[in-house]
Amino acid sequence: MTGPETALAAIWAGALLLWLAFLLFYDGIRCPLRGEEIEAFLATLGPRMAETGNDAERLRAFLEADDGREFVMVNLVRTRPGPVTGTAREGSEWLRRYSQPFVRGLIARGGHPLFVGRKVGGYIDAWNTPADPGWSLVGTMRYRSRRDLVRMAADPAFRAAHPNKTLGIESTFSFPTQRQIGFYASPRVTVGLALALAAAFGHIAVLTFG
């Protein structure tokens, strides 16, 4: 192979290897949680689930049904209005102090926010549901796996930030989902296209100046 041909091969091979490395990071190994992992995690929660009105058995069922795949957590949140009692900060500020380290930890584990939006009106279409409690925002968070959820919840840094969540949020509920239809390009596609574009520019540069 000539010098330019070698350079071109290296550019495209490098782009492919980077994309495959990203896929390995983004999707993980997809190995379902083991029973001992679930028991060890639930043991660390102690009375926390009951104290917040949540059902530990529901969480157990979700973890035991692990298929190793990604999921999206849907969150509806009502922030505390005005300055929080005993503090000088508003509920939205406390929530921000919780969200920033949470999102950093999520991204480090291959997850990321999909959509976060503030509420701009009351219920437009609601059947057989309780009255709107005054939701402030909705957020959807992509998790690489249920194992990552467990590891995040057990991370001391995450637990250290958790009091900010309780200060900032007056009420909330969350539930996990898995996508059936999606009309957006996932990071798998966008990263692949970005690497292909960079490789194409490198290809042109070699042909032009090589």
Side-chain angles (χ1 to χ4, degrees), residues 37-100:
E37 291 180 282
I38 296 172
E39 295 300 333
F41 169 64
L42 293 176
T44 67
L45 295 180
R48 286 172 55 197
M49 293 292 288
E51 288 173 353
T52 54
N54 289 300
D55 185 352
E57 290 307 310
R58 185 178 299 118
L59 174 59
R60 177 191 294 276
F62 174 62
L63 298 179
E64 289 178 345
D66 188 13
D67 57 7
R69 296 170 54 203
E70 68 181 358
F71 71 94
V72 174
M73 192 71 81
V74 177
N75 308 277
L76 271 75
V77 175
R78 178 184 179 185
T79 56
R80 297 187 187 277
V84 177
T85 303
T87 76
R89 296 188 176 92
E90 295 191 355
S92 57
E93 171 63 16
W94 285 113
L95 181 58
R96 185 186 64 80
R97 287 170 170 259
Y98 162 77
S99 298
Q100 287 181 342

Side-chain angles (χ1 to χ4, degrees), residues 23-193:
L23 290 182
L24 180 62
F25 165 73
Y26 189 73
D27 288 325
I29 304 301
R30 294 191 174 182
C31 179
L33 281 163
R34 301 186 304 273
E36 56 268 27
E37 291 180 282
I38 296 172
E39 295 300 333
F41 169 64
L42 293 176
T44 67
L45 295 180
R48 286 172 55 197
M49 293 292 288
E51 288 173 353
T52 54
N54 289 300
D55 185 352
E57 290 307 310
R58 185 178 299 118
L59 174 59
R60 177 191 294 276
F62 174 62
L63 298 179
E64 289 178 345
D66 188 13
D67 57 7
R69 296 170 54 203
E70 68 181 358
F71 71 94
V72 174
M73 192 71 81
V74 177
N75 308 277
L76 271 75
V77 175
R78 178 184 179 185
T79 56
R80 297 187 187 277
V84 177
T85 303
T87 76
R89 296 188 176 92
E90 295 191 355
S92 57
E93 171 63 16
W94 285 113
L95 181 58
R96 185 186 64 80
R97 287 170 170 259
Y98 162 77
S99 298
Q100 287 181 342
F102 167 79
V103 170
R104 287 196 297 268
L106 188 64
I107 292 173
R109 293 170 174 83
H112 53 83
L114 285 176
F115 171 82
V116 177
R118 65 182 180 87
K119 179 185 168 188
V120 295
Y123 290 169
I124 302 300
D125 190 21
W127 296 355
N128 301 319
T129 62
D132 183 349
W135 301 118
S136 305
L137 56 90
V138 60
T140 53
M141 304 289 166
R142 185 264 184 182
Y143 286 80
R144 182 172 56 186
S145 68
R146 300 179 206 198
R147 177 174 283 107
D148 287 311
L149 171 67
V150 165
R151 289 177 174 172
M152 281 196 67
D155 187 335
F158 174 79
R159 292 192 173 186
H162 197 267
N164 295 333
K165 179 180 181 179
T166 57
L167 284 170
I169 295 178
E170 189 165 72
S171 58
T172 183
F173 73 80
S174 306
F175 58 90
T177 68
Q178 283 185 327
R179 185 175 63 171
Q180 291 183 307
I181 299 174
F183 296 101
Y184 64 89
S186 77
R188 300 177 188 87
V189 175
T190 53
V191 170
L193 290 175

